């Protein structure tokens, strides 16, 4: 079972690499504004999880520079996700607006929708 999962994971990563989306190109000022707004976010993920690949493709397509955290092989990150997020499920987006205001967002579709709404908000700000 572990072997099958490993092989399927490698195929997924290869397919993802071969069909990776083209990142949007923005002006420096606009990209810096987006980078700053997203600097408090990090994505807890597994490298070969299809839902994580979906979110990473979304990040790439929209040129969102969000830190990736390996919640599979890094035990500290895994424990942090369970302790603070509430469960060991990935992808999960940690959104820190300030030290007292941290939100953990699960579900790949919800993460993608949240990021798009943030981009819309920044565009109209
Ligand atoms: N509906 C969720 C599904 C996420 C999911 O099933 N993730 C799996 C990895 S592919 C997971 O976290 N499993 C828990 C574990 O492996 O401990 C989404 O779209 O994000």
């Amino acid at each position: 079972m572990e072997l099958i999962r490993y092989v399927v994971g490698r195929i997924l990563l290869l397919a993802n690499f071969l069909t990776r989306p083209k990142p949007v190109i923005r002006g420096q000022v606009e990209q810096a504004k987006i980078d700053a707004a997203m600097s408090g976010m990090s994505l807890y993920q597994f490298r070969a999880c299809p839902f994580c690949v979906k979110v990473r493709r979304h990040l790439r397509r929209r040129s969102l520079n969000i830190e990736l955290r390996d919640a599979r092989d890094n035990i500290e990150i895994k424990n942090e996700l369970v302790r603070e997020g509430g469960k060991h499920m990935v992808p999960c987006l940690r959104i820190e607006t300030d030290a007292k205001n941290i939100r953990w967002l699960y579900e790949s579709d919800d993460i993608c929708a949240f990021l798009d709404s943030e981009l819309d908000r920044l565009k109209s700000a």
Side-chain angles (χ1 to χ4, degrees):
M1 194 61 191
E2 209 37 52
L3 178 67
I4 294 172
R5 197 174 298 169
Y6 176 82
V7 172
V8 171
R10 295 306 105 176
I11 293 170
L12 174 72
L13 290 175
L14 178 64
N16 175 47
F17 178 75
L18 295 175
T19 64
R20 61 199 185 282
K22 223 176 170 180
V24 66
I25 295 170
R26 305 185 176 93
Q28 267 187 4
V29 173
E30 192 188 0
Q31 185 65 48
K33 184 176 151 191
I34 290 169
D35 287 347
M38 309 256 159
S39 65
M41 297 183 199
S42 44
L43 184 72
Y44 288 66
Q45 50 108 45
F46 299 167
R47 197 160 163 259
C49 151
F51 304 99
C52 302
V53 169
K54 178 171 89 178
V55 175
R56 292 204 305 270
R57 290 173 72 87
H58 198 81
L59 298 182
R60 182 180 165 87
R61 196 174 288 115
R62 285 158 177 68
S63 298
L64 302 180
N65 299 311
I66 291 178
E67 183 195 349
L68 302 179
R69 294 191 174 167
D70 180 355
R72 196 182 116 98
D73 295 328
N74 185 318
I75 193 73
E76 277 176 33
I77 289 175
K78 178 179 174 173
N79 289 343
E80 187 183 35
L81 174 64
V82 176
R83 191 178 59 244
E84 294 179 32
K87 55 186 168 181
H88 189 233
M89 189 172 89
V90 290
C92 179
L93 186 68
R94 182 181 187 273
I95 308 152
E96 179 175 338
T97 30
D98 59 64
K100 283 190 191 151
N101 199 345
I102 298 171
R103 188 176 156 206
W104 295 78
L105 181 64
Y106 288 92
E107 290 298 326
S108 52
D109 285 342
D110 293 347
I111 294 169
C112 293
F114 170 78
L115 293 170
D116 284 350
S117 71
E118 281 297 285
L119 280 177
D120 286 345
R121 192 178 62 76
L122 288 169
K123 235 181 253 171
S124 57

